[in-house]
Amino acid sequence: MKKVILLSGILSVLMTITSFAGWQYQNDNWKYYDNDGYAVSDEWQKSGNDWYYLDYDENMATDKLIYDDGDYYYVDQSGKMATNQWQYLEDEYDDNEFHWFYFQSNGKAKENGFLTVDGVKYHFTDGRMDEGWIQIDDDTYYTNPIHDGTYGSIKTGWAYVDDIGNDSIVDEEGWYYFGTNGKMVSGTEKKINGYYYVFNDDGLMLDGFVEFQTDVATSSNASSIAYKFYRPGNGDRIEGWYYVESNDYDEIGKDVDDDSWFYFKNGIMLSADQKTTKISDKIGVAKINGKYYGFDENGQMITDFVEGYDGSLYYFDIDNGDMKTGKVRIDEDSDSDWADETFYFSASGKVGEKGQAITGVKKGYLYDNGLLIKADSDMKYEMFTVDGQNYLVNRSGKVMDSGTYRDGNDDYWVVEETDGIYNVSKK
């Protein structure tokens, strides 16, 4: 903000005095006489292109704030009315405090409202530039407190407020945001430079989990209350995958022991109760970038085997968390209880059906809750009962078709198969 303090000067010769009327220099002061020969007071007189003020004592005023007919003016040290300039002056007409005034092209100080000076916006009340917080109807503004040439200008963008005093409209230290029009953002979520932030009713930027009331359920088990998560400290809304180490769980308010991945959609953490399809009371499944993932009630991404409502198994990759379908061999070096075993999971169906363990014959092999059933390595063939049906399988788990088979104990088994129904008996 350009504030011009005019240097003192000496009033030039105003006019050649050819009569008693007009300007006269007497007793070290300039006076102005009317046509009747009387010295005027409390009024303006012009000389050339400039205006001058005759004070109550009939002398021309210099370096003084003038309050005339409801408006403030300022005359400099030469007595000339100031125009298009800032002045920092003591207001002896009101509180005897110093204030910034801006005198416009007509000499009047800006009285009330906004004014843009040299591309910078300010606000005035009763002729004085406002400082600190400004409340106009339901809108809140904040002026720049930094003495770097922008002092008093209407703040736009981010502002960290830590000066919470008696004159402060806000009660909490923190980050606040002001739009391009200077209005403080409050009570809403706002996209700023490509990221979403949320502000409480007092304008304070919030972080961590923030409660929202939703009017429309967004999935089959969505509640009417959703919690969006904003990055601690920074405040930007988390989107997509987010990794949290166990010693940092305080930041998301979760009491869990392991490092875990979480996923956020529009800021809402996916969990068994939000934006997922439940496969059990404590586990929900969601499709993310073409793959399926499971999440528990805390929002932690599931890995390894889990049970669905009817006891059916599902398997989520021990490393990546994506749900497996089709024929899957569990790594022998994994920590899973089913290491080095083979399973088969449904590769079709809607969410909740896809990924469910197969029970029965699939592509000629026998599975029980997904687990491949095989004859013992010492046996060539072995009979198993799965879901009430008898099957004869070999050491690779292949189901034997109609015929007679001898196992490792030299026992003979007879298989009769009709339309997928097997009758297995010992000969």
Side-chain angles (χ1 to χ4, degrees):
M1 176 179 71
K2 183 179 179 183
K3 299 178 174 64
V4 182
I5 307 298
L6 296 181
L7 299 177
S8 62
I10 300 174
L11 184 65
S12 60
V13 176
L14 299 174
M15 59 180 65
T16 300
I17 302 175
T18 57
S19 67
F20 193 69
W23 291 100
Q24 293 192 31
Y25 191 71
Q26 297 176 345
N27 301 323
D28 297 327
N29 288 294
W30 283 99
K31 295 179 179 291
Y32 188 87
Y33 289 88
D34 60 21
N35 291 330
D36 295 325
Y38 294 100
V40 301
S41 63
D42 297 323
E43 67 178 56
W44 294 94
Q45 289 295 329
K46 193 173 185 181
S47 176
N49 293 323
D50 300 315
W51 288 91
Y52 300 83
Y53 190 74
L54 284 305
D55 220 336
Y56 64 92
D57 58 1
E58 301 175 351
N59 293 322
M60 184 187 72
T62 59
D63 188 21
K64 185 177 181 181
L65 183 66
I66 307 295
Y67 188 71
D68 180 41
D69 196 24
D71 292 303
Y72 285 102
Y73 300 82
Y74 172 69
V75 290
D76 64 18
Q77 290 183 346
S78 69
K80 184 172 66 174
M81 176 194 289
T83 58
N84 299 318
Q85 62 180 261
W86 289 96
Q87 289 293 335
Y88 188 59
L89 303 169
E90 182 180 9
D91 186 358
E92 63 185 58
Y93 295 96
D94 192 355
D95 53 13
N96 290 316
E97 298 289 336
F98 279 85
H99 300 280
W100 281 104
F101 297 82
Y102 186 81
F103 300 95
Q104 303 170 91
S105 58
N106 59 3
K108 295 180 181 180
K110 173 65 178 178
E111 181 68 12
N112 292 294
F114 292 102
L115 179 69
T116 298
V117 181
D118 296 330
V120 182
K121 190 176 183 179
Y122 302 86
H123 190 270
F124 297 82
T125 301
D126 296 332
R128 307 165 185 83
M129 183 194 77
D130 289 313
E131 304 174 31
W133 294 93
I134 304 169
Q135 189 70 42
I136 302 175
D137 297 326
D138 294 329
D139 298 316
T140 301
Y141 301 82
Y142 184 57
T143 64
N144 201 323
I146 303 173
H147 291 265
D148 62 354
T150 62
Y151 181 78
S153 60
I154 298 297
K155 182 67 180 177
T156 60
W158 290 103
Y160 189 83
V161 178
D162 57 3
D163 184 14
I164 308 298
N166 294 332
D167 296 332
S168 177
I169 289 178
V170 300
D171 298 323
E172 294 185 65
E173 176 180 345
W175 285 101
Y176 295 80
Y177 187 82
F178 302 85
T180 55
N181 57 5
K183 295 179 182 180
M184 184 176 74
V185 175
S186 63
T188 189
E189 183 182 63
K190 182 176 178 63
K191 190 174 185 179
I192 301 170
N193 297 327
Y195 298 92
Y196 286 93
Y197 300 84
V198 67
F199 304 87
N200 68 11
D201 290 340
D202 294 325
L204 178 68
M205 183 199 78
L206 304 176
D207 60 7
F209 278 100
V210 179
E211 180 179 323
F212 285 78
Q213 186 74 32
T214 60
D215 296 326
V216 180
T218 54
S219 68
S220 60
N221 62 322
S223 67
S224 60
I225 294 178
Y227 293 87
K228 294 186 180 182
F229 185 60
Y230 300 82
R231 194 184 310 275
N234 193 58
D236 58 308
R237 193 179 78 187
I238 297 297
E239 294 297 326
W241 290 105
Y242 187 71
Y243 186 74
V244 181
E245 296 182 356
S246 57
N247 58 356
D248 288 334
Y249 273 128
D250 285 345
E251 74 177 26
I252 62 171
K254 301 297 181 183
D255 183 18
V256 288
D257 298 325
D258 301 323
D259 299 352
S260 290
W261 283 98
F262 298 81
Y263 190 86
F264 295 86
K265 185 175 182 180
N266 296 327
I268 298 176
M269 175 189 285
L270 270 58
S271 70
D273 299 313
Q274 282 290 348
K275 292 183 174 290
T276 61
T277 298
K278 280 191 170 184
I279 59 173
S280 73
D281 288 337
K282 295 184 177 181
I283 298 171
V285 174
K287 188 176 182 180
I288 301 171
N289 298 327
K291 296 183 178 181
Y292 293 85
Y293 297 85
F295 301 90
D296 67 12
E297 66 272 27
N298 289 320
Q300 289 177 280
M301 184 189 76
I302 298 296
T303 58
D304 211 348
F305 286 89
V306 296
E307 286 190 2
Y309 280 119
D310 59 359
S312 295
L313 291 177
Y314 297 80
Y315 179 66
F316 298 88
D317 188 274
I318 200 98
D319 296 316
N320 301 322
D322 58 309
M323 186 177 71
K324 296 304 180 184
T325 60
K327 191 174 182 179
V328 178
R329 184 172 181 82
I330 309 304
D331 192 329
E332 62 181 347
D333 296 326
S334 75
D335 294 330
S336 173
D337 294 337
W338 299 100
D340 204 29
E341 295 286 359
T342 299
F343 284 78
Y344 202 99
F345 302 94
S346 174
S348 61
K350 60 185 180 181
V351 178
E353 295 175 353
K354 190 170 185 176
Q356 190 174 44
I358 294 293
T359 294
V361 179
K362 185 70 176 180
K363 294 185 178 180
Y365 290 83
L366 181 61
Y367 299 90
D368 188 3
N369 204 7
L371 177 65
L372 177 65
I373 303 301
K374 301 178 292 183
D376 190 270
S377 59
D378 295 332
M379 302 290 289
K380 191 174 181 180
Y381 303 98
E382 200 168 350
M383 189 190 80
F384 293 90
T385 301
V386 174
D387 198 24
Q389 169 74 42
N390 292 331
Y391 300 91
L392 188 70
V393 299
N394 64 14
R395 283 176 292 195
S396 66
K398 185 173 179 59
V399 176
M400 297 297 99
D401 293 328
S402 296
T404 301
Y405 304 90
R406 185 176 69 178
D407 65 20
N409 293 328
D410 289 332
D411 291 326
Y412 287 85
W413 296 88
V414 177
V415 178
E416 297 176 351
E417 185 268 329
T418 304
D419 296 330
I421 303 300
Y422 295 86
N423 182 18
V424 181
S425 60
K426 215 179 226 185
K427 187 175 180 181

PDB file of all heavy atoms in Angstrom, residues 228-253:
ATOM      1  N   LYS A 228     -15.207 -37.664   7.368  1.00  0.00           N
ATOM      2  CA  LYS A 228     -14.170 -37.434   6.375  1.00  0.00           C
ATOM      3  C   LYS A 228     -12.853 -37.162   7.098  1.00  0.00           C
ATOM      4  O   LYS A 228     -12.834 -36.596   8.187  1.00  0.00           O
ATOM      5  CB  LYS A 228     -14.546 -36.264   5.464  1.00  0.00           C
ATOM      6  CG  LYS A 228     -15.760 -36.538   4.594  1.00  0.00           C
ATOM      7  CD  LYS A 228     -15.998 -35.411   3.610  1.00  0.00           C
ATOM      8  CE  LYS A 228     -17.223 -35.683   2.732  1.00  0.00           C
ATOM      9  NZ  LYS A 228     -17.440 -34.609   1.736  1.00  0.00           N
ATOM     10  N   PHE A 229     -11.780 -37.542   6.434  1.00  0.00           N
ATOM     11  CA  PHE A 229     -10.465 -37.445   7.079  1.00  0.00           C
ATOM     12  C   PHE A 229      -9.591 -36.434   6.345  1.00  0.00           C
ATOM     13  O   PHE A 229      -9.436 -36.495   5.132  1.00  0.00           O
ATOM     14  CB  PHE A 229      -9.785 -38.815   7.079  1.00  0.00           C
ATOM     15  CG  PHE A 229      -8.477 -38.838   7.823  1.00  0.00           C
ATOM     16  CD1 PHE A 229      -8.425 -38.519   9.167  1.00  0.00           C
ATOM     17  CD2 PHE A 229      -7.300 -39.167   7.174  1.00  0.00           C
ATOM     18  CE1 PHE A 229      -7.231 -38.549   9.858  1.00  0.00           C
ATOM     19  CE2 PHE A 229      -6.095 -39.196   7.865  1.00  0.00           C
ATOM     20  CZ  PHE A 229      -6.065 -38.888   9.206  1.00  0.00           C
ATOM     21  N   TYR A 230      -9.040 -35.507   7.120  1.00  0.00           N
ATOM     22  CA  TYR A 230      -8.199 -34.443   6.585  1.00  0.00           C
ATOM     23  C   TYR A 230      -6.807 -34.577   7.196  1.00  0.00           C
ATOM     24  O   TYR A 230      -6.669 -34.759   8.407  1.00  0.00           O
ATOM     25  CB  TYR A 230      -8.806 -33.074   6.889  1.00  0.00           C
ATOM     26  CG  TYR A 230     -10.184 -32.931   6.282  1.00  0.00           C
ATOM     27  CD1 TYR A 230     -11.308 -33.450   6.932  1.00  0.00           C
ATOM     28  CD2 TYR A 230     -10.366 -32.331   5.047  1.00  0.00           C
ATOM     29  CE1 TYR A 230     -12.578 -33.353   6.367  1.00  0.00           C
ATOM     30  CE2 TYR A 230     -11.634 -32.231   4.477  1.00  0.00           C
ATOM     31  CZ  TYR A 230     -12.732 -32.749   5.140  1.00  0.00           C
ATOM     32  OH  TYR A 230     -13.977 -32.658   4.576  1.00  0.00           O
ATOM     33  N   ARG A 231      -5.794 -34.475   6.343  1.00  0.00           N
ATOM     34  CA  ARG A 231      -4.419 -34.748   6.763  1.00  0.00           C
ATOM     35  C   ARG A 231      -4.040 -33.931   8.005  1.00  0.00           C
ATOM     36  O   ARG A 231      -4.133 -32.702   8.004  1.00  0.00           O
ATOM     37  CB  ARG A 231      -3.452 -34.430   5.628  1.00  0.00           C
ATOM     38  CG  ARG A 231      -2.053 -34.991   5.849  1.00  0.00           C
ATOM     39  CD  ARG A 231      -1.124 -34.534   4.725  1.00  0.00           C
ATOM     40  NE  ARG A 231      -1.705 -34.770   3.408  1.00  0.00           N
ATOM     41  CZ  ARG A 231      -1.612 -35.923   2.753  1.00  0.00           C
ATOM     42  NH1 ARG A 231      -0.983 -36.952   3.311  1.00  0.00           N
ATOM     43  NH2 ARG A 231      -2.162 -36.051   1.559  1.00  0.00           N
ATOM     44  N   PRO A 232      -3.614 -34.615   9.068  1.00  0.00           N
ATOM     45  CA  PRO A 232      -3.233 -33.891  10.289  1.00  0.00           C
ATOM     46  C   PRO A 232      -2.149 -32.856  10.011  1.00  0.00           C
ATOM     47  O   PRO A 232      -1.170 -33.133   9.324  1.00  0.00           O
ATOM     48  CB  PRO A 232      -2.730 -35.010  11.212  1.00  0.00           C
ATOM     49  CG  PRO A 232      -3.473 -36.224  10.744  1.00  0.00           C
ATOM     50  CD  PRO A 232      -3.563 -36.069   9.247  1.00  0.00           C
ATOM     51  N   GLY A 233      -2.368 -31.660  10.518  1.00  0.00           N
ATOM     52  CA  GLY A 233      -1.412 -30.582  10.337  1.00  0.00           C
ATOM     53  C   GLY A 233      -1.619 -29.799   9.066  1.00  0.00           C
ATOM     54  O   GLY A 233      -1.704 -28.574   9.084  1.00  0.00           O
ATOM     55  N   ASN A 234      -1.743 -30.480   7.937  1.00  0.00           N
ATOM     56  CA  ASN A 234      -1.871 -29.814   6.645  1.00  0.00           C
ATOM     57  C   ASN A 234      -3.319 -29.488   6.303  1.00  0.00           C
ATOM     58  O   ASN A 234      -3.609 -28.469   5.690  1.00  0.00           O
ATOM     59  CB  ASN A 234      -1.263 -30.676   5.540  1.00  0.00           C
ATOM     60  CG  ASN A 234      -1.082 -29.918   4.248  1.00  0.00           C
ATOM     61  OD1 ASN A 234      -0.398 -28.901   4.208  1.00  0.00           O
ATOM     62  ND2 ASN A 234      -1.706 -30.391   3.199  1.00  0.00           N
ATOM     63  N   GLY A 235      -4.234 -30.393   6.657  1.00  0.00           N
ATOM     64  CA  GLY A 235      -5.655 -30.122   6.484  1.00  0.00           C
ATOM     65  C   GLY A 235      -6.264 -30.539   5.169  1.00  0.00           C
ATOM     66  O   GLY A 235      -7.481 -30.467   5.018  1.00  0.00           O
ATOM     67  N   ASP A 236      -5.453 -30.965   4.178  1.00  0.00           N
ATOM     68  CA  ASP A 236      -6.046 -31.371   2.902  1.00  0.00           C
ATOM     69  C   ASP A 236      -6.747 -32.715   3.059  1.00  0.00           C
ATOM     70  O   ASP A 236      -6.298 -33.589   3.779  1.00  0.00           O
ATOM     71  CB  ASP A 236      -4.991 -31.441   1.792  1.00  0.00           C
ATOM     72  CG  ASP A 236      -3.863 -32.403   2.114  1.00  0.00           C
ATOM     73  OD1 ASP A 236      -3.284 -32.264   3.209  1.00  0.00           O
ATOM     74  OD2 ASP A 236      -3.576 -33.294   1.296  1.00  0.00           O
ATOM     75  N   ARG A 237      -7.865 -32.859   2.356  1.00  0.00           N
ATOM     76  CA  ARG A 237      -8.673 -34.070   2.463  1.00  0.00           C
ATOM     77  C   ARG A 237      -7.946 -35.243   1.813  1.00  0.00           C
ATOM     78  O   ARG A 237      -7.456 -35.139   0.696  1.00  0.00           O
ATOM     79  CB  ARG A 237     -10.029 -33.860   1.785  1.00  0.00           C
ATOM     80  CG  ARG A 237     -11.057 -34.933   2.098  1.00  0.00           C
ATOM     81  CD  ARG A 237     -12.366 -34.624   1.406  1.00  0.00           C
ATOM     82  NE  ARG A 237     -12.312 -34.971  -0.012  1.00  0.00           N
ATOM     83  CZ  ARG A 237     -13.277 -34.685  -0.871  1.00  0.00           C
ATOM     84  NH1 ARG A 237     -14.356 -34.017  -0.473  1.00  0.00           N
ATOM     85  NH2 ARG A 237     -13.171 -35.024  -2.147  1.00  0.00           N
ATOM     86  N   ILE A 238      -7.874 -36.336   2.553  1.00  0.00           N
ATOM     87  CA  ILE A 238      -7.180 -37.518   2.064  1.00  0.00           C
ATOM     88  C   ILE A 238      -8.031 -38.224   1.015  1.00  0.00           C
ATOM     89  O   ILE A 238      -9.223 -38.437   1.196  1.00  0.00           O
ATOM     90  CB  ILE A 238      -6.861 -38.484   3.217  1.00  0.00           C
ATOM     91  CG1 ILE A 238      -5.901 -37.814   4.210  1.00  0.00           C
ATOM     92  CG2 ILE A 238      -6.250 -39.772   2.688  1.00  0.00           C
ATOM     93  CD1 ILE A 238      -4.550 -37.464   3.643  1.00  0.00           C
ATOM     94  N   GLU A 239      -7.403 -38.585  -0.084  1.00  0.00           N
ATOM     95  CA  GLU A 239      -8.058 -39.342  -1.143  1.00  0.00           C
ATOM     96  C   GLU A 239      -7.203 -40.564  -1.470  1.00  0.00           C
ATOM     97  O   GLU A 239      -5.983 -40.482  -1.534  1.00  0.00           O
ATOM     98  CB  GLU A 239      -8.235 -38.493  -2.396  1.00  0.00           C
ATOM     99  CG  GLU A 239      -9.188 -37.326  -2.242  1.00  0.00           C
ATOM    100  CD  GLU A 239     -10.612 -37.758  -1.936  1.00  0.00           C
ATOM    101  OE1 GLU A 239     -11.038 -38.817  -2.429  1.00  0.00           O
ATOM    102  OE2 GLU A 239     -11.285 -37.041  -1.185  1.00  0.00           O
ATOM    103  N   GLY A 240      -7.872 -41.693  -1.702  1.00  0.00           N
ATOM    104  CA  GLY A 240      -7.157 -42.896  -2.104  1.00  0.00           C
ATOM    105  C   GLY A 240      -6.483 -43.597  -0.938  1.00  0.00           C
ATOM    106  O   GLY A 240      -6.899 -43.491   0.215  1.00  0.00           O
ATOM    107  N   TRP A 241      -5.410 -44.297  -1.251  1.00  0.00           N
ATOM    108  CA  TRP A 241      -4.717 -45.097  -0.233  1.00  0.00           C
ATOM    109  C   TRP A 241      -3.920 -44.214   0.720  1.00  0.00           C
ATOM    110  O   TRP A 241      -3.328 -43.220   0.318  1.00  0.00           O
ATOM    111  CB  TRP A 241      -3.789 -46.098  -0.905  1.00  0.00           C
ATOM    112  CG  TRP A 241      -4.517 -47.197  -1.624  1.00  0.00           C
ATOM    113  CD1 TRP A 241      -4.679 -47.335  -2.969  1.00  0.00           C
ATOM    114  CD2 TRP A 241      -5.204 -48.297  -1.021  1.00  0.00           C
ATOM    115  NE1 TRP A 241      -5.426 -48.447  -3.249  1.00  0.00           N
ATOM    116  CE2 TRP A 241      -5.760 -49.077  -2.077  1.00  0.00           C
ATOM    117  CE3 TRP A 241      -5.403 -48.713   0.298  1.00  0.00           C
ATOM    118  CZ2 TRP A 241      -6.495 -50.226  -1.849  1.00  0.00           C
ATOM    119  CZ3 TRP A 241      -6.140 -49.866   0.521  1.00  0.00           C
ATOM    120  CH2 TRP A 241      -6.679 -50.613  -0.535  1.00  0.00           C
ATOM    121  N   TYR A 242      -3.904 -44.648   1.983  1.00  0.00           N
ATOM    122  CA  TYR A 242      -3.210 -43.879   3.028  1.00  0.00           C
ATOM    123  C   TYR A 242      -2.622 -44.880   4.020  1.00  0.00           C
ATOM    124  O   TYR A 242      -3.343 -45.691   4.594  1.00  0.00           O
ATOM    125  CB  TYR A 242      -4.202 -42.946   3.726  1.00  0.00           C
ATOM    126  CG  TYR A 242      -3.588 -41.983   4.711  1.00  0.00           C
ATOM    127  CD1 TYR A 242      -2.819 -40.916   4.262  1.00  0.00           C
ATOM    128  CD2 TYR A 242      -3.802 -42.117   6.073  1.00  0.00           C
ATOM    129  CE1 TYR A 242      -2.280 -40.000   5.155  1.00  0.00           C
ATOM    130  CE2 TYR A 242      -3.259 -41.215   6.976  1.00  0.00           C
ATOM    131  CZ  TYR A 242      -2.503 -40.153   6.514  1.00  0.00           C
ATOM    132  OH  TYR A 242      -1.966 -39.267   7.410  1.00  0.00           O
ATOM    133  N   TYR A 243      -1.310 -44.820   4.185  1.00  0.00           N
ATOM    134  CA  TYR A 243      -0.611 -45.781   5.052  1.00  0.00           C
ATOM    135  C   TYR A 243      -0.313 -45.139   6.401  1.00  0.00           C
ATOM    136  O   TYR A 243       0.177 -44.016   6.473  1.00  0.00           O
ATOM    137  CB  TYR A 243       0.694 -46.229   4.393  1.00  0.00           C
ATOM    138  CG  TYR A 243       1.416 -47.320   5.147  1.00  0.00           C
ATOM    139  CD1 TYR A 243       0.946 -48.629   5.129  1.00  0.00           C
ATOM    140  CD2 TYR A 243       2.564 -47.047   5.878  1.00  0.00           C
ATOM    141  CE1 TYR A 243       1.597 -49.642   5.810  1.00  0.00           C
ATOM    142  CE2 TYR A 243       3.230 -48.050   6.561  1.00  0.00           C
ATOM    143  CZ  TYR A 243       2.751 -49.347   6.524  1.00  0.00           C
ATOM    144  OH  TYR A 243       3.395 -50.341   7.207  1.00  0.00           O
ATOM    145  N   VAL A 244      -0.629 -45.859   7.442  1.00  0.00           N
ATOM    146  CA  VAL A 244      -0.407 -45.340   8.798  1.00  0.00           C
ATOM    147  C   VAL A 244       0.355 -46.378   9.602  1.00  0.00           C
ATOM    148  O   VAL A 244      -0.024 -47.550   9.648  1.00  0.00           O
ATOM    149  CB  VAL A 244      -1.742 -45.018   9.502  1.00  0.00           C
ATOM    150  CG1 VAL A 244      -1.477 -44.473  10.893  1.00  0.00           C
ATOM    151  CG2 VAL A 244      -2.540 -44.016   8.684  1.00  0.00           C
ATOM    152  N   GLU A 245       1.444 -45.944  10.216  1.00  0.00           N
ATOM    153  CA  GLU A 245       2.183 -46.825  11.112  1.00  0.00           C
ATOM    154  C   GLU A 245       1.496 -46.850  12.470  1.00  0.00           C
ATOM    155  O   GLU A 245       0.863 -45.877  12.885  1.00  0.00           O
ATOM    156  CB  GLU A 245       3.626 -46.350  11.248  1.00  0.00           C
ATOM    157  CG  GLU A 245       4.400 -46.415   9.934  1.00  0.00           C
ATOM    158  CD  GLU A 245       5.841 -45.983  10.097  1.00  0.00           C
ATOM    159  OE1 GLU A 245       6.209 -45.558  11.218  1.00  0.00           O
ATOM    160  OE2 GLU A 245       6.596 -46.064   9.112  1.00  0.00           O
ATOM    161  N   SER A 246       1.648 -47.964  13.164  1.00  0.00           N
ATOM    162  CA  SER A 246       0.887 -48.170  14.405  1.00  0.00           C
ATOM    163  C   SER A 246       1.170 -47.083  15.441  1.00  0.00           C
ATOM    164  O   SER A 246       0.283 -46.713  16.206  1.00  0.00           O
ATOM    165  CB  SER A 246       1.201 -49.543  14.998  1.00  0.00           C
ATOM    166  OG  SER A 246       2.597 -49.681  15.231  1.00  0.00           O
ATOM    167  N   ASN A 247       2.398 -46.545  15.458  1.00  0.00           N
ATOM    168  CA  ASN A 247       2.702 -45.514  16.456  1.00  0.00           C
ATOM    169  C   ASN A 247       2.135 -44.152  16.090  1.00  0.00           C
ATOM    170  O   ASN A 247       2.271 -43.184  16.825  1.00  0.00           O
ATOM    171  CB  ASN A 247       4.214 -45.397  16.673  1.00  0.00           C
ATOM    172  CG  ASN A 247       4.964 -45.063  15.397  1.00  0.00           C
ATOM    173  OD1 ASN A 247       4.362 -44.994  14.337  1.00  0.00           O
ATOM    174  ND2 ASN A 247       6.257 -44.880  15.498  1.00  0.00           N
ATOM    175  N   ASP A 248       1.489 -44.072  14.915  1.00  0.00           N
ATOM    176  CA  ASP A 248       0.866 -42.807  14.500  1.00  0.00           C
ATOM    177  C   ASP A 248      -0.654 -42.887  14.494  1.00  0.00           C
ATOM    178  O   ASP A 248      -1.324 -42.015  13.963  1.00  0.00           O
ATOM    179  CB  ASP A 248       1.331 -42.415  13.088  1.00  0.00           C
ATOM    180  CG  ASP A 248       2.773 -41.957  13.077  1.00  0.00           C
ATOM    181  OD1 ASP A 248       3.238 -41.483  14.132  1.00  0.00           O
ATOM    182  OD2 ASP A 248       3.423 -42.087  12.030  1.00  0.00           O
ATOM    183  N   TYR A 249      -1.214 -43.942  15.090  1.00  0.00           N
ATOM    184  CA  TYR A 249      -2.654 -44.130  14.983  1.00  0.00           C
ATOM    185  C   TYR A 249      -3.454 -43.071  15.724  1.00  0.00           C
ATOM    186  O   TYR A 249      -4.639 -42.891  15.453  1.00  0.00           O
ATOM    187  CB  TYR A 249      -3.064 -45.518  15.469  1.00  0.00           C
ATOM    188  CG  TYR A 249      -2.984 -46.547  14.373  1.00  0.00           C
ATOM    189  CD1 TYR A 249      -2.288 -47.723  14.547  1.00  0.00           C
ATOM    190  CD2 TYR A 249      -3.600 -46.328  13.153  1.00  0.00           C
ATOM    191  CE1 TYR A 249      -2.195 -48.666  13.532  1.00  0.00           C
ATOM    192  CE2 TYR A 249      -3.520 -47.252  12.138  1.00  0.00           C
ATOM    193  CZ  TYR A 249      -2.816 -48.416  12.331  1.00  0.00           C
ATOM    194  OH  TYR A 249      -2.732 -49.324  11.323  1.00  0.00           O
ATOM    195  N   ASP A 250      -2.817 -42.370  16.638  1.00  0.00           N
ATOM    196  CA  ASP A 250      -3.554 -41.307  17.336  1.00  0.00           C
ATOM    197  C   ASP A 250      -4.096 -40.293  16.340  1.00  0.00           C
ATOM    198  O   ASP A 250      -5.129 -39.671  16.566  1.00  0.00           O
ATOM    199  CB  ASP A 250      -2.651 -40.603  18.353  1.00  0.00           C
ATOM    200  CG  ASP A 250      -2.424 -41.455  19.591  1.00  0.00           C
ATOM    201  OD1 ASP A 250      -3.183 -42.429  19.758  1.00  0.00           O
ATOM    202  OD2 ASP A 250      -1.505 -41.161  20.358  1.00  0.00           O
ATOM    203  N   GLU A 251      -3.381 -40.112  15.201  1.00  0.00           N
ATOM    204  CA  GLU A 251      -3.795 -39.082  14.249  1.00  0.00           C
ATOM    205  C   GLU A 251      -5.107 -39.423  13.566  1.00  0.00           C
ATOM    206  O   GLU A 251      -5.800 -38.540  13.054  1.00  0.00           O
ATOM    207  CB  GLU A 251      -2.700 -38.850  13.208  1.00  0.00           C
ATOM    208  CG  GLU A 251      -2.566 -39.923  12.179  1.00  0.00           C
ATOM    209  CD  GLU A 251      -1.514 -39.591  11.133  1.00  0.00           C
ATOM    210  OE1 GLU A 251      -0.584 -38.829  11.432  1.00  0.00           O
ATOM    211  OE2 GLU A 251      -1.654 -40.099  10.027  1.00  0.00           O
ATOM    212  N   ILE A 252      -5.485 -40.699  13.533  1.00  0.00           N
ATOM    213  CA  ILE A 252      -6.774 -41.042  12.948  1.00  0.00           C
ATOM    214  C   ILE A 252      -7.724 -41.603  13.996  1.00  0.00           C
ATOM    215  O   ILE A 252      -8.810 -42.081  13.669  1.00  0.00           O
ATOM    216  CB  ILE A 252      -6.627 -42.038  11.776  1.00  0.00           C
ATOM    217  CG1 ILE A 252      -6.022 -43.362  12.249  1.00  0.00           C
ATOM    218  CG2 ILE A 252      -5.817 -41.443  10.648  1.00  0.00           C
ATOM    219  CD1 ILE A 252      -6.062 -44.433  11.184  1.00  0.00           C
ATOM    220  N   GLY A 253      -7.316 -41.570  15.256  1.00  0.00           N
ATOM    221  CA  GLY A 253      -8.222 -41.934  16.337  1.00  0.00           C
ATOM    222  C   GLY A 253      -8.598 -43.388  16.364  1.00  0.00           C
ATOM    223  O   GLY A 253      -9.696 -43.740  16.784  1.00  0.00           O
TER     224      GLY A 253
END
